[in-house]
Amino acid sequence: MHGTIRISLAVLLALAGTPAAAQESVYDLLLTGGHVIDPANDIDAVRDVAVRDGKIVQVAAAIPTGSAKRIVDVKGLYVVPGLVDIHAHHYGYAGSLFPDETAFPAGTTTVVDAGGPGWRNFEDYQEKILRRARARVFTFINSVGLGMGGEEDDIEDMNPRATADKILAFPDLIVGVKNAHFGGSGWTSVDRAIEAGRLSNTPVILDNTILSWTGRDTRTKVLEKMRPGDIHTHFYNDRHVEILDRRTNRVQPYMHAARKRGVLFDLGHGGGSFLWPVADRAMAQDFPPDTISTDLHAGSILSTESDMPNSISKMLLLGMPLRDVVYRSTVTPARTIKRFPQVGTLGEGRDADIAVLRLDEGVFSFHDAWGKKRLGTQRLLNVLTVRAGEIVYDRDAIAFPDWDAPGSNGRTRE
Ligand SMILES: [Zn+2]
């Protein structure tokens, strides 16, 4: 009886409430007065952003605030799509970090685990990480059956068919294949990863040493082995990709040729893969990374602080314009993992994944993986992160009411 009354009441309320709510366009959240940079929609201007039911409903100048449940003044700040980091580590080795606590403070709402699990332990990873994370987490599955928890030199455990079958079984979660940390010589590990990518029609992301004893070289790798859409990570390293001619410091002709044929290059900053001499000279010759990513793990977050805002700030220092760093932290990574435009834009109807950034002016020092320091005049900082319409990080309490404001009831949050 009690249940019946409650249901009837709910139905009545729904019937009474629906037309009025639709007319009033009630927003759950309204970010007002921020400078929106949404490259996918060619917006680079002061705009308000309205959110309802976890989705972006409107991006426009001066949206009436009257009916919004929560209004956050973000004047003087940049409002961009939630950052998309295609190289992070959440599973499979000692340095793995749980996604939410590192991603959200950085303004990252979508992360890709780069090779944590393989086809043998994907379900364990799914249980321990994917089911618990609030961040959107995709996966480059390792070409080794046991992933980073196994032996990444183990060619015998690189089974392209089994890897591809796992991708085809979880097409919403797995976006491609990772082959990395291979200590042996020859091309077998690369070939098997690319075969898994071919069988599953997904991109392969490589980290692959090219030092003389390996019998591998960058030219063969980027011109003959990798397919258009495949990704080379650790771009400004000099161990995995030889971007520059070491005598002339010119970008190698084969790097231009590789980019022309559609091979992609990912920053993959990490603890060892951002070197000023490489990055500076490549940028001076207009050879930027296609995607800015962190290679975040316990070591890199402490040593090089390679989160997204820090990695982005270094690209600003090297002359990449703000709009371009946003593009290469949202649109291009989403495209690289074939999730654009579902991810990487503030387009109306998309999931409300948003980062609010502050661009500080001053003198700031940034260091590379060799421990060399360089001064810059701008530093980007994430101050507010929205994931699927929910505020999940608020550095400066900008979304909070004053404790003694009228209407504050003094009760603590649960
Ligand atoms: Zn990595």
Side-chain angles (χ1 to χ4, degrees):
M1 186 62 189
H2 190 62
T4 313
I5 289 168
R6 272 171 43 178
I7 289 162
S8 305
L9 198 61
V11 168
L12 278 171
L13 284 171
L15 287 172
T18 305
Q23 267 175 4
E24 284 174 20
S25 293
V26 175
Y27 304 128
D28 296 324
L29 176 66
L30 186 62
L31 303 177
T32 61
H35 186 124
V36 173
I37 301 180
D38 181 17
N41 292 299
D42 201 25
I43 298 173
D44 186 356
V46 173
R47 292 281 184 273
D48 296 341
V49 178
V51 172
R52 184 173 55 222
D53 298 331
K55 307 281 183 190
I56 305 279
V57 287
Q58 201 182 1
V59 177
I63 297 174
T65 56
S67 53
K69 290 181 193 160
R70 195 171 195 184
I71 300 163
V72 183
D73 179 359
V74 292
K75 209 173 294 144
L77 302 171
Y78 289 95
V79 179
V80 306
L83 305 177
V84 182
D85 181 1
I86 65 165
H87 187 159
H89 292 286
H90 307 304
Y91 177 84
Y93 82 117
S96 304
L97 301 164
F98 190 69
D100 298 359
E101 292 95 355
T102 50
F104 290 154
T108 303
T109 52
T110 298
V111 283
V112 187
D113 185 293
W119 67 272
R120 293 183 194 277
N121 54 7
F122 183 80
E123 283 83 355
D124 181 61
Y125 154 81
Q126 191 183 16
E127 195 60 39
K128 288 178 177 151
I129 305 298
L130 298 186
R131 284 199 205 290
R132 292 174 49 221
R134 294 176 75 192
R136 190 197 307 271
V137 184
F138 293 121
T139 310
F140 283 117
I141 194 168
N142 204 304
S143 57
V144 177
L146 280 174
M148 289 180 78
E151 177 50 70
E152 290 191 280
D153 285 349
D154 186 3
I155 285 181
E156 295 308 310
D157 198 24
M158 295 179 189
N159 182 332
R161 184 70 260 172
T163 305
D165 286 346
K166 192 61 71 175
I167 299 170
L168 297 170
F170 294 95
D172 296 338
L173 303 175
I174 309 177
V175 296
V177 182
K178 174 92 186 279
N179 173 242
H181 315 120
F182 179 69
S185 60
W187 291 104
T188 310
S189 69
V190 173
D191 289 340
R192 291 195 178 173
I194 290 175
E195 176 64 4
R198 195 185 64 75
L199 291 170
S200 58
N201 192 29
T202 59
V204 172
I205 184 167
L206 290 176
D207 122 358
N208 204 276
T209 303
I210 45 96
L211 302 179
S212 55
W213 55 265
T214 64
R216 296 184 289 271
D217 63 282
T218 298
R219 174 198 288 272
T220 305
K221 189 163 57 182
V222 300
L223 292 186
E224 294 174 25
K225 298 290 183 182
M226 297 178 74
R227 305 162 300 164
D230 286 340
I231 309 132
H232 209 301
T233 189
H234 302 321
F235 182 47
Y236 288 154
N237 186 304
D238 64 350
R239 218 168 50 241
H240 296 295
V241 205
E242 192 179 3
I243 305 177
L244 304 172
D245 181 309
R246 289 174 194 206
R247 185 174 54 87
T248 64
N249 284 320
R250 300 295 302 166
V251 172
Q252 299 276 15
Y254 54 69
M255 291 299 289
H256 289 292
R259 176 157 276 179
K260 208 166 172 183
R261 62 183 286 268
V263 170
L264 300 172
F265 296 101
D266 172 53
L267 186 62
H269 188 306
S273 297
F274 184 92
L275 307 176
W276 288 123
V278 180
D280 180 76
R281 286 158 187 159
M283 280 299 289
Q285 292 167 68
D286 196 23
F287 212 76
D290 292 293
T291 47
I292 296 173
S293 74
T294 64
D295 187 15
L296 210 59
H297 51 77
S300 64
I301 200 167
L302 290 173
S303 62
T304 52
E305 303 172 69
S306 72
D307 65 8
M308 286 298 279
N310 190 288
S311 299
I312 288 171
S313 296
K314 289 176 181 176
M315 298 314 299
L316 290 173
L317 190 158
L318 292 173
M320 188 181 281
L322 184 60
R323 188 184 163 122
D324 204 20
V325 294
V326 173
Y327 179 72
R328 289 166 199 273
S329 310
T330 57
V331 175
T332 59
R335 277 199 184 124
T336 297
I337 57 171
K338 299 193 169 89
R339 292 300 186 280
F340 181 83
Q342 301 93 313
V343 175
T345 94
L346 297 176
E348 290 169 13
R350 299 298 171 197
D351 282 357
D353 291 354
I354 306 168
V356 179
L357 309 171
R358 194 176 84 205
L359 186 63
D360 290 334
E361 307 276 341
V363 179
F364 307 99
S365 65
F366 301 94
H367 64 276
D368 72 357
W370 280 342
K372 297 291 164 50
K373 184 163 68 180
R374 192 158 169 172
L375 301 180
T377 57
Q378 293 181 315
R379 184 177 60 191
L380 203 65
L381 197 68
N382 177 66
V383 295
L384 186 86
T385 309
V386 178
R387 164 73 181 117
E390 297 289 325
I391 294 174
V392 290
Y393 178 77
D394 183 355
R395 179 191 174 93
D396 300 329
I398 57 176
F400 287 72
D402 287 337
W403 73 279
D404 58 351
S408 286
N409 59 14
R411 291 178 63 178
T412 53
R413 287 157 62 90
E414 274 143 37

